[in-house]
Amino acid sequence: MSRKPELTPGLIALMAVGSGLSVASNYYVQPLLDLLSQEFALSSTQAGLIVTVSQLGYLAGLICIVPLGDHHERRKLLTLTTALTAAGLMGMAFAQSFGILLSVAVVVGLTSVTAQILVPLAAHLATPAKRGATVSTVMSGLLIGILLARTFAGLVAEWGGWRAVYMVAAILMAMFSLACYRFLPHIAPTSHTTYRQLYVSILHLFRDEPVLRRRGFLGGMQYAVFGILWTSMAFMLAKNFHYSEGVIGMFGLLGAVGALTAKFAGRLADRGWARLGTGGFILMTTLSWWLLYSGQWSIIAFGLGVVFLDLGVQGAHISNQSEIYRLNPDARSRLTTGYMSCYFLGGAAGSALSATFYGIAGWSGVCMIGAAVSLVSFLFWAVTEFRMPLKRMRHAPGLH
């Protein structure tokens, strides 16, 4: 039996940075939508399509590419996916029509699932005693990538225009692709089943695991709420407050508090409060829409709304993951594909709803649909997850 490669601090840092760079590829566009609308003479609804197609591309990558990590040599797979992402980002930088931009955005979304290959890889390489700390480090890189992508995009766009954002991003991703080839160890496949069998087994997990179905729905609804906010906020901030792309991008820093919920939500789950904690986080996102609605007149209210919504979405996400990973330790990659597919399908739907309702009723319409989706999510949790007595939830965290 071959010895498992050593997982060094440098390798962990490389995977964390790579996770952040990869996932950021889908979020650079959000503070740039107003610029794209001007360049290509688009309505807000049309501009929002680029967010939607990126999320759908990511969803396709979760289904088609992530399971390949089980029966393909992962260094080669990661080198290829990151190289394709770099090429796609450069293609976006030089796109001369909105149709071409949309087409290349699908490719970027499809191949930027690198982070969802790196996280299971980190868990595979880590020793059992350090697995949790290793995975949380790589996940932190992913979260930071989501949070700082908007800030980075806004600042670079203010300096060099929206095309410069994608040029710089492409260079950074190409450098990471070379680092994958140079520094990642050779790792033999862990599964020798066919891809068809892996894919079918994901459907079987949905059929056999009601917790996966429930948590997948909740995750998708919460990420829809996230997409509803971030897809249209650039239009509102530019129109109501006349903020530049750089200032709009800085609002991504407010989302940093969401990353702080990871340990808190994890501790709640470890102590048996995952079910109740999920409801609390979803309620927080529901109430945040009142602040966000007021935010069209008060930037302080808007900032607080962003903080509370991101806090709720991220806390619910961590709680959902803690529940589904209890189900079957031998199928965590497939559980990841199943849950994250629901998650990003919800994000794509939220982005489409946001662009549509902003075109119809402006920011008030966005807040209306965001509050409605949040409320439906909370009611679903109350009906399906809050039926146990609190004492039972407290002392039986693994009981479903």
Side-chain angles (χ1 to χ4, degrees):
M1 181 179 293
S2 61
R3 184 180 177 183
K4 187 184 295 186
E6 182 183 0
L7 186 60
T8 64
L11 189 55
I12 296 172
L14 176 66
M15 290 192 287
V17 170
S19 292
L21 285 175
S22 299
V23 77
S25 301
N26 286 317
Y27 294 92
Y28 296 130
V29 71
Q30 290 179 344
L32 307 177
L33 292 178
D34 194 51
L35 284 177
L36 293 173
S37 297
Q38 297 174 34
E39 169 118 3
F40 295 107
L42 306 170
S43 67
S44 59
T45 301
Q46 290 172 320
L49 281 174
I50 193 168
V51 180
T52 302
V53 300
S54 296
Q55 298 286 8
L56 291 174
Y58 198 92
L59 173 64
L62 284 169
I63 295 171
C64 299
I65 295 177
V66 171
L68 293 176
D70 284 337
H71 62 115
H72 283 265
E73 201 282 305
R74 272 168 276 195
R75 185 184 68 173
K76 292 180 180 178
L77 179 62
L78 288 165
T79 301
L80 177 61
T81 57
T82 51
L84 290 173
T85 303
L89 290 168
M90 191 61 73
M92 293 181 74
F94 287 96
Q96 296 302 308
S97 71
F98 187 63
I100 293 175
L101 189 68
L102 280 179
S103 300
V104 183
V106 174
V107 175
V108 171
L110 180 71
T111 59
S112 63
V113 293
T114 297
Q116 304 302 331
I117 302 173
L118 286 169
V119 173
L121 174 60
H124 174 72
L125 293 176
T127 62
K130 296 183 178 180
R131 183 164 294 139
T134 301
V135 170
S136 67
T137 299
V138 178
M139 281 296 297
S140 294
L142 185 151
L143 295 174
I144 291 170
I146 293 174
L147 298 172
L148 296 187
R150 304 175 187 89
T151 305
F152 166 84
L155 292 174
V156 175
E158 191 165 333
W159 163 73
W162 69 268
R163 294 182 187 276
V165 174
Y166 288 105
M167 289 182 189
V168 175
I171 293 170
L172 291 174
M173 185 55 66
M175 292 171 63
F176 178 64
S177 182
L178 291 173
C180 285
Y181 180 78
R182 175 66 179 82
F183 297 111
L184 286 181
H186 175 88
I187 303 161
T190 57
S191 172
H192 299 285
T193 60
T194 65
Y195 181 66
R196 179 181 178 278
Q197 289 173 320
L198 284 176
Y199 186 82
V200 170
S201 70
I202 297 170
L203 299 179
H204 290 168
L205 285 170
F206 272 109
R207 181 194 64 192
D208 300 334
E209 299 288 0
V211 174
L212 178 60
R213 295 196 298 270
R214 292 200 304 267
R215 292 292 173 159
F217 179 81
L218 288 173
M221 292 291 279
Q222 285 294 283
Y223 202 50
V225 169
F226 186 85
I228 289 168
L229 168 64
W230 287 97
T231 297
S232 294
M233 64 170 279
F235 295 118
M236 189 276 287
L237 292 173
K239 178 182 178 182
N240 290 28
F241 298 98
H242 308 291
Y243 286 156
S244 67
E245 287 72 34
V247 175
I248 292 171
M250 293 298 289
F251 279 87
L253 295 177
L254 291 176
V257 296
L260 300 178
T261 66
K263 290 185 178 180
F264 174 65
R267 284 196 296 267
L268 283 178
D270 289 341
R271 295 173 182 175
W273 291 100
R275 289 174 181 268
L276 188 60
T278 303
F281 289 124
I282 295 174
L283 181 61
M284 187 179 297
T285 65
T286 305
L287 297 177
S288 71
W289 285 106
W290 177 80
L291 288 167
L292 291 167
Y293 175 78
S294 303
Q296 57 192 313
W297 306 290
S298 168
I299 199 62
I300 294 176
F302 181 80
L304 289 172
V306 171
V307 168
F308 286 122
L309 184 138
D310 192 77
L311 192 70
V313 169
Q314 189 57 42
H317 180 49
I318 296 296
S319 299
N320 288 336
Q321 288 180 314
S322 71
E323 289 292 277
I324 66 168
Y325 286 146
R326 290 193 180 105
L327 299 177
N328 188 342
D330 296 328
R332 282 177 178 153
S333 292
R334 285 164 287 168
L335 288 167
T336 297
T337 295
Y339 172 74
M340 293 303 296
S341 295
C342 295
Y343 195 70
F344 279 91
L345 183 60
S351 297
L353 286 171
S354 181
T356 300
F357 274 78
Y358 188 86
I360 295 172
W363 187 247
S364 296
V366 171
C367 292
M368 178 184 70
I369 191 62
V373 173
S374 298
L375 182 59
V376 169
S377 182
F378 181 76
L379 292 175
F380 180 85
W381 168 83
V383 170
T384 62
E385 296 280 331
F386 194 57
R387 64 185 184 273
M388 287 184 174
L390 291 182
K391 183 177 179 181
R392 189 178 180 191
M393 285 194 295
R394 173 65 179 85
H395 294 292
L399 184 60
H400 304 291

